[in-house]
Amino acid sequence: MRLRSGVFASSCLLVEVLGVALFLRGFFPVPVRSLPRREARGDLPAEPAPPGPGMVSNWTKIPPPLFKKVVIVLIDALRDDFVFGSKGEQFMPYTKQVIEKGTSYSFIAEAKPPTVTMPRIKALMTGSIPGFIDVIVNLNSPALLDDNLIWQAKTAGKRIIFYGDDTWVKLFPKHFVEYDGTTSFFVSDFTEVDDNVTRHLDRVLKREDWDLLILHYLGLDHIGHVTGPNSPLVGAKLREMDNILKKIHISLLSKEEASFPNLLVVCGDHGMSETGSHGGSSAGEVHTPLLFISSAFEKRSGPLTYPELVQQTDLASTLAVGLGLPISRNSVGNLILPVVGGRTMREQLRFVHLNGFQLSRLLQENTPAYEKDPGYEHFKIAEKSHANWIKLYLEGNNSEILLNLGKKVLKQYLEALKTLSSSLSKQVAQYDMYSMMVGTVIILEVLLLLLLSIPKALSSRAEFEVPLSPPLFSLLFYLVCLMLCAVHVIVCTSAESLCYFCSMSWFTAVGVMMLISALMCGILSAIAKTFDNSRLPVKNPVLSSSSWSEIDVLILAGTVGHVLSLGASSFVEEEHQTWYFLINTLCLVLCQELCRNNFLLKEYDPQHSTTVKQNSEEASGYKNIDIPAADSSKLSKTSTSDEFVRGSDKWVSLASPWIILICCRLLRSLNQTGVQWAHRPDFGHWLTSSEHKSELSFLAAVSLLMIFFLVQRRCSLVSKIAMALGLLGIYSYRAAIGNVIFPWQHGSKDISKGITEARFVYIFVLGIVFSGTKDLLKSQVISSDSGVKSTGLWEVYSGLVLLAALLFRPHNLPVLVFCLLIQTMMTKYIWRPLKFGAAQITIMHYWFGQAFFYFQGNSNGIATVDVSAGFVGLESYVEIPAIFLTAFATYAGPLLWAFHLLCYLSSEVSSQIL
């Protein structure tokens, strides 16, 4: 069966999407779950029954609350060193004094990735560990249906007031008696977003009609996204937060009763990286301060020790005990014992017993062999010891033995809680291995089929011979299909946990098995046909020897090697190293190819000239034309057209790969990325520091001039003027928001905040894109002029370059300059002289596009996504534009290279027609 290359590629793509979707469905973790929250308020266990007849504990209810009012102040992106480090001493003096000499307990709470706001709020309030799928729903948070602290407090009749990030309002609708939400996505707002929270404080703190007050401040997070953690704005914001904490603490102290104290909790949902972003697993992103401040605690004395490390999920259990509520059923957190350390031994044992019972019940509901779990065994041992302690207590024994035994039981419980929590945390991500394996098999089969088709793709054959009939009517196909169905039955009937692929209907499952069998048999048929063709005599040895050059081998080996490298997590984390190696190697091979064609090939070899012409036409996708070697006039014309550049252009062509290598090396020094070395200083950090603002301004100005010089050459006069004004507007925008210096701007007052300047640039971007789109429509509708089409594509490309320059941070503008410079040099001095085929040029564009994705400072972690780009020129959060601008700024490198590929191929078609 013959299929055109486009149909064949589309079919492979559809099957590949099916395999990827099935793999991702099994890969995304399914967190451990207990009963629905409507069943979560069941009967709590009594104290362990003491041994012996006639002895029964009289404590069967939930312990009473330890605190009258609780205030939770969540400061978004508050890193631990902002409080416990030098910044805390300088900008948060009151908080630092309370930590060192006041009645407080301080900890470092470790957040699990992904370190973005919505999953962290879930972890804080439910005690569970959200999965990476929550990163997607972070943009539009649905109501939280799991058992959580807010729901428990509302059900218990407690009055909750909330001000701050409106994510809470979406997660907990109708839970607050009073609330005022602020959008968390407009990162250009540093002030009003916090003022909208603080303006309620004076009024609320004077009232007595609330039990739980939650404040979520976003300003620090916004400052980090836009200017980074080392910005001078961070210190001012920390000082503002310190004054707010002082006001709340003093107000709580003035109104509390001696027997029923209040509690102030200060925490962060996540930290921030050295670039100001978050979402990954670096120390700055996962370590946040956790402070408990109350007059119920003993005043700190003695030398100050470094805060103990706890889990962020421990807050839910601790607050539940402090408010006299049941611990959330899905919580994997432990009680932070120092918070209840001032209570009696019996109360402390009761608290840890409730926590252990909740964790052991969660383990039972999610682990079939729970009885063999070490944490469960330790808990049962601690329960028996607890029962013996209760027996002594009820007998009225007040000796030192009772106290020592109580400490021993408490230690046993804490060890059991730690082990149980660890076991549950390991099971919190239950991967569906069977679905992942089926998806992987489909992906690998399609990739192998595509690899077998690469020789035809490189020779630009328009059709593929797909061996479809033999597999569908062969005995092997049915045997493989029956074998796979048998494996499916065995796996699905013996699986202990729910499997998505097993939950499909039998009709769908058999269809997938038949697809896998057909692909396998098709691959075997293709391999057999390849071996048969290799035995045939070669009719044209010249064409045969030139069909696989060093470039072809490198492209194939590099692409396959990159795909295989993605099977290791370390290669995924440091994928940029793979692309840097590939493009460096490509430049060296291109240098060898240029030297060979300029020095080694005979200048007027008729056979070579004819062959080159034929290969060029095949690679460009045109109909092959036979050129008789005896026709001297045609031969002379072919030789002239295929003659490589001479004179000065020849040496520039030879130097081009080395210039590109130098550009790539400079770009690598601009932004550190990945995981292992992302924390190391780079040239970008040096430029963005406040001491080097002049250098950054000079670099930005030169970069914008270079962009204009490299882009304007193929634009119309109107587009050139629009491009020049747009680039001037970009510099004005960066000067307005304080990134660079405006030579003639002497006032420091920021009036427009860059909104006017950015919108000024958007007008020119839309104008240039509209002009190019008009030419494209004209070439398609009015006249089939390929030259007009090529000009239209280039103008649209110029508009995208202008948009990228606006969204890029100033220190990243050289990335755009080098991108345009490399594209220009490759086009003029490498691709056209060497007459590469369309497939080869396409893969080279793909390689450079991927490399420039990492040159921007991006990585495979969401922490490097520059969210601030989505709010350039916006006064408030508008979802669609913000998502589009953020995505474009993140993937600008690959997008510009992909669009340049269209421009290049279109221009080549135009030149061939002319």
Side-chain angles (χ1 to χ4, degrees), residues 892-911:
L895 287 174
L896 290 178
W897 276 92
F899 210 91
H900 182 269
L901 174 65
L902 294 178
C903 297
Y904 175 82
L905 295 179
S906 176
S907 65
E908 290 300 293
V909 170
S910 302
S911 62

Side-chain angles (χ1 to χ4, degrees), residues 49-97:
M55 300 194 71
V56 180
S57 171
N58 57 358
W59 197 352
T60 58
K61 297 182 179 180
I62 300 175
L66 307 180
F67 306 101
K68 180 181 179 182
K69 293 180 182 294
V70 176
V71 180
I72 302 175
V73 180
L74 194 156
I75 304 175
D76 210 295
L78 184 66
R79 292 199 326 196
D80 60 329
D81 59 329
F82 286 175
V83 175
F84 303 126
S86 58
K87 281 188 172 67
E89 294 179 358
Q90 183 179 0
F91 302 113
M92 303 187 75
Y94 183 81
T95 305
K96 195 70 175 178
Q97 181 183 4

Side-chain angles (χ1 to χ4, degrees), residues 350 443 582 711 769:
R350 175 65 170 156
I443 293 171
L582 288 178
V711 170
V769 172

Side-chain angles (χ1 to χ4, degrees), residues 214-225:
I214 303 174
L215 308 172
H216 189 152
Y217 285 94
L218 290 162
L220 183 64
D221 178 68
H222 291 182
I223 291 173
H225 278 298

